[in-house]
Structure formats: C-alpha cells, structure tokens
Amino acid sequence: MSESPRSVPPATPAVAPAPGSAERVRALWKKWTDQVFSMREGQFFLLLSVLIGVFSGLAVVCFRMAIDWTRLLLLGFSLTPSAPRVVVVPAAAGLVVGLLTLYVFRRVRGSGVNQTKAAVYVSNGYIPFSTVIGKFLICSLAIGSGQSLGPEDPSLQMGAGIASVIGRRLRLSQEKVRLIAPVGAAAGLAAAFNAPISSVLFVIEEVIGTWSAGALGAIVLAAVSSVVTMRSFLGSESLFRVPTFRMERPSELMGYVALGVVGGIASLLFLKWLGYARPHLEALPGWTKSFQPAISGLLIGFIGIWVPQVMGAGYPIIDQAMHGQYAWKILLLLAALKIVATGISFLSATPGGMFAPTLFIGAMLGGAVGGIEHHFFHSLTGTVGTFALVGMGTLFAGFLRTPITSVFMVIEVSGNYTAILPVMVSTMIAYLISRQYHKVPLFDMLARQDGLVLPSIEERREQVSLTVEDAMRADGAMVLDPAEPIADGLRRAERKPQAALLLYAKAEWRFVLRDELRRLATNSSSQSLAEAKTTGPLPILFRDQSLDEALRLAGDWPVLPVVSRANLATLEGVIALADILQAFRSSPQTGAIPTVS
Amino acid sequence: MSNGRQIRDLKLFPVARSRDRVVSARTPGTDSHSLNPLSTPKFRIANPRLELPAAHSRQSIQIPSDREFKQVFLTGFFPSSASHSRFSRPSRRTGYNLPPRRNSRPQAGYSREAVLLGALVLLVVLASFTAFASRLYHKTFHVLADQWFARGDRSFQAGNAAEALNDYRNALAYSPYNPQFQFHLARALAATGRQEEAEAYLLNLLSVSPGSGEINLELARSSARRKSGMAAALRYYQAAIYGEWDHDPLLMRWDVRRELSEYLLAHGTHIQAEPELIAMAENVPLTDIARQKLAGELLVRGQLWDRALAIFRSVLAADPRDPEALAGAGTAAFHLFEFPQTLDYLRKLPPEKRSDPSIAGMLETSEQVLADDPFPSGLSPQQKAARTARDLALAESRAEQCVSQRGESFGQNPPKSDLQKLLAQAAAMKAAWSERMLARFPERIHESIAVAFQMENAANVCGEPQGPDRVIWLLGQTSAGKAP
C-alpha cells in the first residue's frame, strides 16, 4: 500500500520578527535626527542655541560652585581669615595660576571679552575646548584664592567656547560658526550674572559691536535657557540683595548728577592707569609672566590683612554696602583699594573678569557719595543703599563704556523701575566724562595694546552716517511728460543742457537720451514722448536711505531718481555714482583707526 | 595637500550624507575655479536646504589661504584677507584663541547624528553631575550658615553683641537671603549701637514682610532710641500690636502693648498711654499672675487707680499674701481715698515692705485720716463731737490764713469769695457748732464737718494742705465725708 503523500502544510509566509525596543529607539532616533537635520540651517541654529544655553548654564553653575569651594578650601569658612592665610594663599595660588597660564593653558589670559570678540572677527568663531577647561580651572583658583577679579567675563568666554565646539562638531556653515560664539557668550554671561537682558545687550554692544546682529533671536534664546538652567540649580535670587528704591522729589536727581561726575572721574583714573601700566608690564621678559600673578596675590594679600573686603569678587560686601553697613569714609577707602587691587590682578594677566570689581567699585563710590550727601542734606530720601545701586551702573557705564547695558542691568538687578531716571542721569554723565577724556573704550584699548583692531560699537556710533540726501542733486534732472509733444519736450530739455532726462510711465522711471529726443523730433510721424526709446526701469531711491545702499544700486546707471515715499511719481532729486563718491570723499570720517591714548 | 583636495575637504561644500561618499564639489563641466555663480560655494551656502558634508576635518574649518580666497570666495564674503603668518601659531602674548597650525593632523570625523547624540548624553551626564554637586554645595553652605548662626546666638545671649555680629555676618555670607539671619544681625547691630545699619536691614525685611510683628517691634525699639523717633516708634508699635506673630500671638501682642505703655509713660504722655493701658488691662490673661501684676503696676503709674485696684484684687484673690499685689492695691485704694481698705492692704505687708517710705507714708496718713474721721460707727457722740469741733477749728484757721494771704477781709459784708462765705457761715454757727452743742445735737455733725471740708477745699487756692489740714482734706474726699 503506497503511502499517500503526506499532506504538507501550506508554506506559511515568513513573518518578520517584531522589532525589539532597541530597534524602535533607533528608528525613533533616526526619525528625529532626520527631522532636525532637514531643517533650514536658521531654524536648526535656533534649536542649537537652546542646547548651548543649557550647556553654558550648567558650566556656569559648576564654575560658581568651584569658585566658592576653592575659597572655602583655601581661605577657610570665615569672611575674615587669619593674616598668614590671607597673604600666603593668594601668592601660592598665583604661582600656580602663572605657571598654568604660561605652559599649559596658553590661551586663557585676559578677561575673556576681547578673546571672544577676536574669535568672532579674527578666527571665525574658533575657540578650542581646552580654553574652556583652562578658564574654568584657572579662574576658579584665581578668584577663589582672593584675586580681585570677577567670574562673569570668564563665563562669557566659556559659553562662547562651548558654543564654538558644538557648532564645529555639528558642522555648521562657517558663517554660523562665527555667529555661534556670541550666542554662547550671551548664555555664559546671562547665567553668571542672572540677568538675561543685560547680557544680551552687553554681547551686542561689546562682543558683536553692532546692533544689526543676525543672530539676535538665537542670542536671546540662549541667554534665557542658560538663566533658566542656572536658576534651577542655584535659585533665582540675585547675587546681592537690593534695597527698596524711593525718590520723592525730582530735585533729588541732583544728588545722582554728583554721583555721575564722581563715577566718571573714577572711571577715567582707572582707565588711564590700566592704559599706562599694561604695556609696560607686557614688555617685561616672558619668564616674569609666570610670577606676576603670584606677586599680585602677595600684594592683594597684604592689602587683605587690613581690608579683606577687597579680595575676591566681593558680592557679600556689595550687599553690605547696599544696606548701609559702612560709613562713607570706609566706602571711599574700599573703592580706592578695590581699584588698586583689581588693577594689580588684571595687570598681572591673571585670568579673570572686570564686571564684579566694576560693580564693587561703583557700589562703594555710590554709597560714599550718598553718605556724604546725607551728611549735608538730611532730607534726602535716597539712602546710602540706593546710591550704591545707582553707583554700580554709573561705573559700569564710565569704565566699561556700555551705557545701555548699565541702565538695564541696574533695573534688572533691582527689579524696580523707579531707579531708571537716576540711573540714566548718572550713567550718561559718567559715560560722557569718560568718553571726553579717554577716547578709546577699555576693551578696544586692551585689544589694540595686543595688536588687534576689533570693531567697536562706540566707533560705529562716531561714524558719520551718510544718506542719499547728502549726495543727491535737487536740480540734476528734468522730468518729461509722456503725453507731452516732442517739440515741447525738446525745447524744455535744451534749456537745461546738463540735466538728465527722466520719464515716469507705467509706474516706472526711465532714462531718455537727448539724442533720442532729437531723433524723435526729426521724425514727423512721432507724436509724443511715449514713443521714445528709454533705458530702464531705473532703481529708485529715497532720501533717507544710506549711501551704501545707493552705491550698491548705482551700477552703470547714469543717474538714479530720488523719489518721495508718499508718491513715487514725485522726483526729489537725482544721484549718480560720481555724486556718491564725492559725498564719501568729503565726509569728515577719515577712516583712520584711532590710536590708544 | 593639493588645492583641489583642500577645496574638497572644505566643509562648506555640500556633499552626500554618507561619510564614504565624498562627492567632489566640482559639478560636471565646471571647476572650482569657475566664476559660474551657480556652482560657487556661495550659491550653495545660500541654499540652506543643501546638506553639509559628512566627512569632517578639524583642519577643514581653517581660514583658506590667500590664494583660495581669490579663487573660491568673493571678497565680500570675508571682509579682510587673512595673513597666513597670523594663524601660524597661537599667540602666547595675547592669549587669543587662534586656529591651530595648518599642518596639524586632522581628526577622525563623526556623523552629525553621533555628535548630537553625544551632546545629549553629555548634557544628561553634566546635568546629573551638576545636580549632585549643587545639592552637596547647598547642603554644605546651609550647614555652615547654621553653625555660624548658632555661634552668633550663643554670643548674643552671652552678651557679646560684637562677636555675635561677626558670626551673623558670616552666616549671612552663606545664606544671604535668610530673613531670620538678617533679623538677628539687625538686632546685633542695634545692640552694638549701630541703629542706622540695623534699620536698613529691618526696613528691607519689612518691605518683604510688612505685617510681621517681630520686625515692626524691632523697628519700634530702634526708633524709640532716637531722639526724634517717637512718631515712627508709635507707628511701628501699633503695627507690631496688630501684626502677625508666629508664636503665642495673644501674649506677644499683650507684651508689645505693655512695652508701648511703658514707653509712653516714660515720656510723660499719660493721655496717649491711657487707651493702651486700658486695652492692656482688658486683655490681660486671667491666669497669668505675673502679667496681671505688671499691668497693675503700669496702671498705678498711669494713675488709673480703679482699674489698678481691680487687677490687684484679682491677684489677691489667687494669693492674698502677694506683697506686690498688696502694695499695689493699697496704693490704688489710697489714691481712691478708700483709707480703711488702704490700711487693710498695707498692714498685711511684711515689715520690710512696710518700712518703704511711700508705703509708710500712706499708712500713716490713712491712720490719721481714720483717727480724724468723725463718722465711724463705734464712736460715742462726745468723741464725734470732739473730732468734728477740732476739724472745724483747723479748717477755720487755715481758711483765715488764706483769706489774709489773699488780702481779703474777714467780716466783709456781703462776703464775696467762697472762703469768706464759709468763714461767715462758720462764724454765724460758732455757738451752735461748739463741741458741747455737737455732742448734745449729733445731727449737726454732718453739716459742720461738711463746712470744714469745704473750707479746706477752698483754701487750696493758697497751696496744698499740709499736716492735719491735709488729713481733713483727705477725709473730705472719702465717701463718708461727702454730704449725705
């Protein structure tokens, strides 16, 4: 019996095994990265700025903690350490700082602001990550050991460095890599200062140097996300407590006028001293640079034996000054000694920032002026603390030459809009005094001493901005009517042989050659100027436009019409390439780079 | 490295995503040196949807050389041509971050996805580390702050305010926004005589907690220490009384009211103190003997005798032998002209208390008053008459002295002043009000003693009564001495 063939079960189609969780994750990741990287670069840049902000915020949080920990370890738990400790610790730490700066982390000298600016304008946004590490370690040691410097400028540079690394690793276009450094700078500064608006303004004023920043949105996003990150770990309190600000009578503004004058003079003295001493110290032999931070630490230590308040960033002392803890004479002494100590620290090329010392000096000076005024005018409602608050902004404007940032910083830190009038008055006076007697701002001066010429918003403000109105000729053209008889048009044209002939037809301005007009006149079949051959349409200009724009449009056109914004058919004048060049030549801007005074 | 390869490696040129497929930037029919705008990098860069190269070289982000500038980029793209030597080595002098040497070894490239993943992983790691570190940081600082604060408290309680000030400052350095630290620092500042600085801290605290009883109380005390600070002190005291207290609000408010009353009494403003004293007396806890006695003492100082007597009676109900309550009740009773009660309270005092000059004076006066009182029920008509006649004679004598002192005549007819009228009346009733007649007709005692009391009262225009006259005057103030 033959066996029936076994019934072979029908072949089942092969079922693909269910994707595991790892594969699902991988697929999700791929989908997400596809979405991210298919974005326009501008959109991706904005997303990246949030990431940069978070990274910078975390870095700054660690940096602030590192400074405090270093201070605890080196100087102990008390605000007034013992005398031997006060002298030995800054000197020893200075020695380590000097050696590290000279041999290990060679790019971390300076405050960080100019270095970031140079990265933007010279190195196309390139800041190596070793700079970030070096700045973190060395500045923690320097500031924590008592050098009279602040953490904000290094935070700015660290943020810029982090942004630069991220931008390069993600292979952004070169333009974006250049722009990303200021984004990171704003993030770092915002987290260090807990003041996002001021940080954005400072980066625009000082690092980018122009208000037409293409990355403004990214800068703001990065600053906000870094502040949010920082506040998540360190809380939202300000670096110092600000007293309630009151001003009952407008006449009290005179008190702040006096503060502005004093602040301006102090800024001037500080600038002159740095400007004079720095080149001399830089000219010393290279091997001395390893000892300069140690010597500065020693000098600051000696000052600190009697006045330990001048050591470090000084925020607790600012807080005390704001609450009337010191008599005006002590405040004046603290201001003077802080100028000395900060100058010593900075001139020794110890890495660290100028923000905190500037605020300290301003607070002490402001408090001193307030104390003196109270002594003579008891009816003043402004307390010593309110003068100290305004004083911070005053010196910020006079010394760092960032008036807009100064005003917003005081308002942001105090959370009180009442302070705006005194702050504006005082900062403007200090700024004007400082600018009048020291033409070059601080950071520009430092850059030029180092052989770099970096753009400056102050210089751009000084530049004469030429408009079309400065170059146009009101009577340089004659407008022909298309409906006009040719003979009439020719007759009118011959009365003004130098004028350009323009025709407005069909919402366009066109140029008519005189020869064409004459040709039409001899042709008996031509009736009106509408039949003329014209050149055009001509690009139009408005009188308020810049001459740069006019130059771009001038091209080979013989003239360009300048028309009214209210009615494009109304000709206000004409402008030619020769007119533009003549206006540029005769403008007062010489184009020379001002020398350091 | 040839220029062509350098150009290819430059990441500005878009290539396919795969890192292995590096497509030359040269499109067919063109070369990189061509000026055809459609094939220049600038055009490609201007189209952001085009992808960036997968292959990455650190070197590829260097600034191209001058030659590459001219060949590849429009001059408008880079505003200034870069000097090769500037980028040859990092500047030690300036510390500026310049690109590395052009002949450095290129690093291995990673895909952007890998970079992004790495960045996110690093972010998580860094955030975790930061969270851990910040927790440790905050914990350490809190511990340090608490230690300094505890040390400051010990110093303050030991009376060493200067050292406490230093300790509180250190505590604040580690916890600058702690209101409790600020408050204690303010107290230490006030204790060391630095009122303005203390006020600065307190005002700052007040702006945050305007209803805080504690802060208002400290401000009141600070203002009270200033010569011209009474108005501010009163304002802050009132705010403290009606402010918020964390512990025992009723008792704290009572204590503040007591302190305010003491302040007002010390400045002699009895009228202003009166409502506070009354409110304090009304709100004194009935079971708190110490506070009741305090209230009673203040009421005595404020000359609110009836309320003081009521409070002291309440204390004596709980402890009849309490010497302070007995003294207070006796004093209040004396000033209320309740002389029997005065004697009753003051005689119960221990001898050492009774020897106190003011207590002894009140005792003696009370005994004299009662000795001169013609109305006690146990007296015989003769004794009553004798006392009445004596009192009348004394009063008459004082009245005559006063009239002479004022230059008035005795027998003026009709009499003009009250004293003259009373003297005339006494003269007219001389026979009827003699001792013998008063003993015989006791009903005349009231009328005659009343005239004596009136004469003593009227003679006060010539000065306070002294000696026996004072006794008679006091007798006249008692309820028994008033007209029936």
Side-chain angles (χ1 to χ4, degrees):
Chain A
M1 201 156 122
S2 64
E3 290 180 348
S4 59
R6 275 192 189 170
S7 56
V8 177
T12 53
V15 175
S21 55
E23 285 183 9
R24 271 203 292 270
V25 168
R26 220 174 282 130
L28 273 171
W29 170 254
K30 190 167 184 324
K31 187 178 171 188
W32 183 72
T33 52
D34 283 348
Q35 274 180 345
V36 165
F37 291 119
S38 65
M39 281 183 191
R40 292 174 68 91
E41 195 180 44
Q43 291 170 337
F44 179 63
F45 194 71
L46 286 176
L47 194 66
L48 204 58
S49 63
V50 175
L51 185 70
I52 289 166
V54 174
F55 263 113
S56 301
L58 291 172
V60 168
V61 167
C62 293
F63 184 47
R64 275 176 61 176
M65 290 192 294
I67 292 173
D68 289 337
W69 277 113
T70 307
R71 196 203 174 278
L72 277 183
L73 285 170
L74 296 179
L75 291 173
F77 301 134
S78 171
L79 286 178
T80 51
S82 62
R85 207 167 190 174
V86 158
V87 173
V88 168
V89 162
L95 190 62
V96 175
V97 163
L99 293 171
L100 282 174
T101 309
L102 204 57
Y103 297 111
V104 181
F105 300 105
R106 294 175 192 155
R107 300 192 182 110
V108 300
R109 296 182 86 203
S111 70
V113 174
N114 269 354
Q115 287 72 18
T116 305
K117 205 167 170 180
V120 173
Y121 286 101
V122 176
S123 313
N124 283 316
Y126 173 65
I127 301 175
F129 193 63
S130 58
T131 303
V132 176
I133 302 292
K135 206 77 179 184
F136 185 100
L137 293 173
I138 294 178
C139 289
S140 306
L141 181 60
I143 300 170
S145 66
Q147 294 275 359
S148 180
L149 295 164
E152 289 81 13
D153 311 41
S155 301
L156 182 150
Q157 192 179 11
M158 287 197 298
I162 289 170
S164 176
V165 166
I166 292 175
R168 282 181 283 119
R169 290 283 179 259
L170 286 172
R171 299 199 300 279
L172 297 181
S173 66
Q174 194 130 20
E175 184 198 358
K176 291 295 185 214
V177 170
R178 191 194 303 137
L179 279 177
I180 212 168
V183 170
L189 186 61
F193 219 29
N194 197 9
I197 301 174
S198 311
S199 311
V200 168
L201 289 172
F202 181 81
V203 165
I204 289 174
E205 268 192 300
E206 205 47 62
V207 178
I208 301 177
T210 172
W211 283 98
S212 59
L216 184 60
I219 288 173
V220 169
L221 266 181
V224 167
S225 56
S226 77
V227 168
V228 167
T229 306
M230 186 281 295
R231 287 181 182 177
S232 307
F233 292 98
L234 295 181
S236 57
E237 290 91 4
S238 173
L239 292 164
F240 33 78
R241 292 163 305 123
V242 177
T244 311
F245 194 98
R246 283 188 309 139
M247 195 178 76
E248 290 185 3
R249 292 179 293 277
S251 57
E252 290 181 27
L253 281 173
M254 295 311 295
Y256 297 102
V257 168
L259 174 56
V261 172
V262 171
I265 294 170
S267 307
L268 205 53
L269 291 172
F270 201 4
L271 282 167
K272 294 282 187 195
W273 179 38
L274 289 182
Y276 172 75
R278 191 164 180 265
H280 288 83
L281 282 165
E282 288 286 328
L284 291 173
W287 62 268
T288 61
K289 291 183 173 41
S290 57
F291 295 105
Q292 284 178 9
I295 295 170
S296 88
L298 196 67
L299 290 171
I300 288 172
F302 279 124
I303 298 174
I305 292 173
W306 289 279
V307 189
Q309 290 89 344
V310 300
M311 298 176 77
Y315 286 120
I317 316 305
I318 295 177
D319 183 273
Q320 289 172 18
M322 288 223 188
H323 290 84
Q325 298 296 293
Y326 300 108
W328 66 265
K329 291 176 191 168
I330 303 293
L331 291 171
L332 214 51
L333 177 69
L334 285 174
L337 288 176
K338 190 69 173 178
I339 289 176
V340 169
T342 307
I344 290 171
S345 291
F346 189 74
L347 291 170
S348 66
T350 306
M354 301 293 272
F355 271 47
T358 306
L359 295 177
F360 184 104
I361 297 164
M364 299 305 134
L365 266 182
V369 169
I372 293 170
E373 290 185 8
H374 260 281
H375 185 71
F376 293 104
F377 304 103
H378 298 290
S379 60
L380 273 179
T381 52
T383 61
V384 167
T386 55
F387 274 87
L389 177 66
V390 175
M392 289 200 303
T394 304
L395 211 80
F396 215 80
F399 182 61
L400 297 180
R401 299 276 269 270
T402 52
I404 299 170
T405 305
S406 308
V407 171
F408 276 90
M409 180 205 61
V410 171
I411 294 168
E412 212 172 357
V413 161
S414 66
N416 190 334
Y417 200 68
T418 319
I420 193 167
L421 275 182
V423 165
M424 285 171 78
V425 163
S426 190
T427 55
M428 277 305 126
I429 290 171
Y431 176 75
L432 290 171
I433 290 174
S434 178
R435 200 179 72 163
Q436 176 66 24
Y437 296 103
H438 197 276
K439 300 291 179 201
V440 184
L442 170 71
F443 290 117
D444 291 351
M445 175 184 77
L446 298 174
R448 283 168 201 174
Q449 285 175 354
D450 294 332
L452 288 176
V453 180
L454 299 173
S456 157
I457 201 168
E458 197 168 294
E459 281 175 8
R460 284 187 181 158
R461 275 200 287 262
E462 300 294 321
Q463 284 173 354
V464 175
S465 171
L466 293 172
T467 60
V468 167
E469 193 176 18
D470 297 318
M472 74 181 198
R473 288 174 282 128
D475 58 352
M478 201 176 81
V479 181
L480 301 171
D481 186 353
E484 191 179 9
I486 295 165
D488 293 343
L490 184 61
R491 206 176 306 119
R492 284 204 301 126
E494 282 171 354
R495 270 192 234 126
K496 282 189 174 181
Q498 302 301 323
L501 303 179
L502 297 176
L503 189 73
Y504 186 74
K506 294 177 189 171
E508 287 177 350
W509 283 93
R510 304 187 81 88
F511 182 77
V512 181
L513 287 169
R514 284 180 187 272
D515 290 343
E516 173 63 17
L517 208 57
R518 289 187 195 105
R519 185 191 69 78
L520 278 179
T522 57
N523 187 352
S524 57
S525 62
S526 306
Q527 300 295 321
S528 71
L529 287 168
E531 296 169 39
K533 283 184 194 157
T534 58
T535 311
L538 300 171
I540 56 171
L541 292 168
F542 304 105
R543 54 168 65 222
D544 56 90
Q545 281 180 291
S546 70
L547 270 190
D548 296 333
E549 268 182 88
L551 186 62
R552 245 198 307 278
L553 292 171
D556 293 325
W557 299 109
V559 289
L560 289 180
V562 180
V563 300
S564 164
R565 284 191 182 270
N567 184 359
L568 296 179
T570 304
L571 187 74
E572 293 186 342
V574 290
I575 190 169
L577 184 62
D579 300 323
I580 297 170
L581 294 175
Q582 178 57 33
F584 276 128
R585 275 192 217 105
S586 52
S587 85
Q589 183 70 29
T590 60
I593 297 163
T595 53
V596 176
S597 59
Chain B
M1 187 184 288
S2 69
N3 277 345
R5 194 167 152 195
Q6 282 172 325
I7 290 164
R8 191 165 57 241
D9 284 345
L10 281 170
K11 68 178 180 69
L12 296 170
F13 286 72
V15 294
R17 289 190 62 193
S18 165
R19 57 188 286 184
D20 295 328
R21 290 173 54 218
V22 177
V23 175
S24 168
R26 300 177 192 177
T27 55
T30 65
D31 77 41
S32 60
H33 297 201
S34 165
L35 290 177
N36 182 352
L38 295 181
S39 67
T40 56
K42 190 180 179 187
F43 170 76
R44 295 175 185 240
I45 291 162
N47 288 279
R49 288 192 187 275
L50 296 176
E51 291 169 350
L52 297 170
H56 167 71
S57 160
R58 188 158 174 248
Q59 185 180 352
S60 67
I61 64 163
Q62 292 175 27
I63 305 297
S65 66
D66 287 342
R67 186 164 167 232
E68 283 160 349
F69 266 113
K70 288 174 194 165
Q71 289 170 350
V72 177
F73 297 105
L74 298 176
T75 52
F77 197 73
F78 288 104
S80 61
S81 62
S83 161
H84 180 80
S85 62
R86 183 176 284 178
F87 304 107
S88 59
R89 68 170 71 90
S91 165
R92 289 189 186 191
R93 183 167 172 268
T94 64
Y96 288 99
N97 295 307
L98 302 173
R101 292 170 190 266
R102 296 189 62 229
N103 57 358
S104 60
R105 293 178 64 183
Q107 291 179 353
Y110 296 98
S111 70
R112 287 186 301 166
E113 288 81 358
V115 171
L116 191 60
L117 180 64
L120 292 173
V121 168
L122 187 62
L123 182 68
V124 169
V125 169
L126 188 58
S128 308
F129 170 76
T130 307
F132 169 74
S134 72
R135 206 167 154 192
L136 187 64
Y137 170 85
H138 286 302
K139 190 174 168 189
T140 305
F141 273 52
H142 278 138
V143 165
L144 284 171
D146 288 342
Q147 283 176 351
W148 279 111
F149 179 69
R151 192 170 142 169
D153 257 357
R154 279 198 298 275
S155 304
F156 192 75
Q157 278 159 21
N160 194 345
E163 199 170 310
L165 187 61
N166 197 43
D167 295 336
Y168 288 140
R169 282 226 172 97
N170 282 316
L172 263 180
Y174 294 109
S175 187
Y177 285 91
N178 191 315
Q180 196 188 10
F181 293 176
Q182 294 173 31
F183 180 74
H184 282 76
L185 176 67
R187 281 203 336 190
L189 285 164
T192 49
R194 296 157 75 164
Q195 302 299 333
E196 278 189 20
E197 294 160 39
E199 273 196 35
Y201 270 104
L202 290 169
L203 286 170
N204 202 40
L205 286 168
L206 195 70
S207 66
V208 176
S209 307
S212 166
E214 216 173 14
I215 298 170
N216 277 294
L217 179 60
E218 279 306 313
L219 276 167
R221 288 171 179 167
S222 180
S223 303
R225 287 182 205 111
R226 286 190 276 119
K227 279 183 189 171
S228 57
M230 190 166 187
L234 290 178
R235 196 171 64 242
Y236 287 125
Y237 270 125
Q238 289 294 338
I241 290 169
Y242 296 105
E244 295 164 10
W245 293 89
D246 293 331
H247 305 290
D248 291 328
L250 291 175
L251 283 178
M252 293 309 302
R253 289 192 182 111
W254 191 91
D255 282 336
V256 174
R257 208 182 280 279
R258 175 191 56 77
E259 193 175 314
L260 171 59
S261 304
E262 282 176 353
Y263 173 70
L264 290 167
L265 288 172
H267 280 74
T269 53
H270 284 66
I271 296 173
Q272 271 180 295
E274 194 171 314
E276 302 300 333
L277 288 167
I278 292 170
M280 186 189 59
E282 295 291 327
N283 289 295
V284 65
L286 294 173
T287 52
D288 194 332
I289 300 298
R291 282 193 165 87
Q292 286 193 15
K293 286 197 282 189
L294 275 171
E297 281 163 17
L298 285 172
L299 286 166
V300 164
R301 280 174 59 188
Q303 298 177 5
L304 295 173
W305 311 115
D306 48 350
R307 292 180 189 267
L309 185 58
I311 282 198
F312 284 126
R313 276 182 181 155
S314 162
V315 175
L316 288 169
D319 181 8
R321 292 281 168 197
D322 189 305
E324 286 151 0
L326 286 169
T331 307
F334 179 84
H335 285 91
L336 286 170
F337 310 110
E338 303 287 343
F339 299 106
Q341 285 186 51
T342 305
L343 281 177
D344 185 38
Y345 291 130
L346 295 182
R347 278 179 181 157
K348 287 179 187 169
L349 284 170
E352 61 274 12
K353 287 275 187 189
R354 263 186 276 151
S355 60
D356 181 81
S358 63
I359 300 290
M362 283 190 285
L363 263 172
E364 187 186 337
T365 306
S366 301
E367 285 164 354
Q368 285 173 354
V369 166
L370 290 178
D372 271 0
D373 188 1
F375 297 111
S377 51
L379 290 176
S380 64
Q382 286 76 19
Q383 285 174 314
K384 287 185 184 179
R387 289 184 181 187
T388 305
R390 188 176 65 239
D391 292 346
L392 189 60
L394 282 169
E396 228 177 321
S397 168
R398 185 168 173 242
E400 284 167 359
Q401 276 178 13
C402 187
V403 165
S404 332
Q405 200 176 320
R406 286 160 62 94
E408 293 168 0
S409 64
F410 293 101
Q412 189 171 359
N413 196 9
K416 286 187 181 171
S417 66
D418 289 340
L419 269 173
Q420 287 174 326
K421 288 177 189 166
L422 290 166
L423 279 170
Q425 187 181 4
M429 298 301 288
K430 200 174 180 68
W433 288 351
S434 64
E435 186 176 342
R436 190 171 63 84
M437 295 307 284
L438 286 174
R440 194 173 167 189
F441 301 103
E443 64 277 9
R444 294 180 186 176
I445 288 175
H446 278 285
E447 192 184 346
S448 60
I449 200 69
V451 168
F453 292 153
Q454 283 170 33
M455 277 196 282
E456 287 288 355
N457 227 12
N460 280 345
V461 298
C462 296
E464 293 286 321
Q466 305 292 332
D469 288 303
R470 185 162 181 265
V471 174
I472 298 168
W473 180 80
L474 284 172
L475 188 57
Q477 304 305 310
T478 65
S479 54
K482 294 192 174 100

